[in-house]
Amino acid sequence: MFTRDSASPITVVTGGAGFLGSHLTDRLLAEGHRVIGIDNFITGSTSNIEHLAGNDRYRFIKADVSNFIFVPGDVDFVFHFASPASPIDYLEHPIPTLKVGALGTHNTLGLAKAKGAGYLIASTSECYGDPLVHPQKEDYWGNVNPIGPRGVYDEAKRFAEAMTMAYHRFHGVNTHIVRIFNTYGPRMRLRDGRVVPAFIGQALEGKPLTIFGDGSQTRSFCYCSDLIDGIYRLSRSDFHEPVNIGNPREMTIKEFGEHIIRITGAKHGLEYKPLPVDDPKVRQPDITRAKTILGWEPKVEFEDGIRETIEYFRPRVGK
Ligand code: UDP
């Protein structure tokens, strides 16, 4: 596949055809890396990587990393980003979600160890569950229901963190853990059920925006380019414990819906639906660690990021 040389690191991205995996791939290629993308297309899409066709620094392997992974040649770094990641996706694929967080993490760590490569796992703010500490700092252990519908994702990612630290401590692999908070931007799937594509899609299709519960629950939304920048910096650091990457600007879901209505000029208002089981009531990252260790903080204003995202979805609605 690729052979090691000092000029162009060889980097594997699992979930490489997904929303974040494909943005990460673009950033790595721009930084001069050679990239091997892996995806099984459960939730990823060829449309996210079709612009890479013919790029001689890019290779793609269609595989499920919950099974044994065979990557020929040298590898310098592994990013494990494969997983269903929206609540409706992991409700639809509960067992693949558990497997890719558990077995997929074991296999990708094994790949990194065998190749002498560095490693970064995409973990999540879901490790904090429905948090009793606000905002969430990395030293908070969380409040997770292991057997609820979200448990398949939350517990798989908590296991993934434990496995990653074990490979670091026991095998000396150079590992990193990012806890990703709500992120949005182009290449999200219109119908992945997450609030950003759901509300933008509804607004553009002339439907009311579906607020779950009373809309008083909060989220903090980070634009994808900011998130990828934090992750890239973390991958180059010598820090091994989890780091929150997200945007601390917090708002209620009702406020978020009102912003979408204002920006799109939608006319159909809000519609209230039942709150999903175990839906976290608050979420906001404490990014002190990222600021201190990585010199990172988000730069894209909510208004600008949302407008970019709306323009991405505009030609895709109604299809
Ligand atoms: N949500 C909503 N309407 C929707 C989709 C989601 O009110 O059509 C709410 C959801 O209940 C949650 C928040 O928006 O409180 C964020 O949901 P999302 O699925 O984006 O991700 P989460 O942060 O829950 O993982």
Side-chain angles (χ1 to χ4, degrees), residues 127-192:
C127 287
Y128 303 120
D130 189 3
L132 306 177
V133 168
H134 191 68
Q136 292 77 54
K137 269 177 125 88
E138 291 88 347
D139 59 7
Y140 175 50
W141 293 352
N143 177 39
V144 171
N145 174 3
I147 58 163
R150 301 173 88 104
V152 296
Y153 185 64
D154 303 8
E155 295 296 3
K157 290 293 190 181
R158 288 165 68 95
F159 174 91
E161 290 196 4
M163 183 65 102
T164 302
M165 287 311 292
Y167 265 67
H168 173 63
R169 294 194 180 113
F170 190 74
H171 289 307
V173 178
N174 177 23
T175 62
H176 310 278
I177 299 171
V178 57
R179 290 195 182 136
I180 298 173
F181 282 65
N182 293 66
T183 303
Y184 69 97
R187 301 188 190 160
M188 295 185 97
R189 278 168 27 246
L190 189 56
R191 301 194 198 286
D192 83 355

Side-chain angles (χ1 to χ4, degrees), residues 87 126 150 182 193-195 198-199 210-212 217 219 253 275-276 279 283:
E126 284 285 320
R150 301 173 88 104
N182 293 66
R194 284 189 273 203
V195 71
F199 282 8
T210 52
I211 302 265
F212 297 166
Q217 69 273 31
R219 293 294 186 273
I253 290 302
L275 190 67
D279 197 281
R283 185 179 290 152

Side-chain angles (χ1 to χ4, degrees), residues 17-82:
F19 164 47
L20 292 179
S22 66
H23 283 296
L24 174 64
T25 298
D26 289 346
R27 172 70 187 262
L28 292 165
L29 290 168
E31 297 285 346
H33 291 235
R34 288 168 285 175
V35 177
I36 304 167
I38 305 180
D39 210 296
N40 64 354
F41 297 115
I42 286 195
T43 58
S45 168
T46 48
S47 63
N48 292 337
I49 52 171
E50 63 195 7
H51 62 288
L52 303 175
N55 186 326
D56 63 5
R57 286 192 289 119
Y58 184 73
R59 300 280 185 278
F60 183 79
I61 300 173
K62 183 170 183 296
D64 181 345
V65 295
S66 300
N67 303 324
F68 180 79
I69 314 162
F70 178 66
V71 178
D74 296 325
V75 176
D76 294 306
F77 204 95
V78 177
F79 286 91
H80 182 31
F81 273 57

Side-chain angles (χ1 to χ4, degrees), residues 203-238:
L204 296 178
E205 286 169 353
K207 296 176 184 155
L209 274 52
T210 52
I211 302 265
F212 297 166
D214 64 5
S216 65
Q217 69 273 31
T218 70
R219 293 294 186 273
S220 310
F221 298 102
C222 186
Y223 192 64
C224 52
S225 59
D226 278 336
L227 183 98
I228 295 298
D229 187 50
I231 289 171
Y232 186 70
R233 287 172 189 235
L234 177 61
S235 72
R236 300 171 65 86
S237 77
D238 55 8

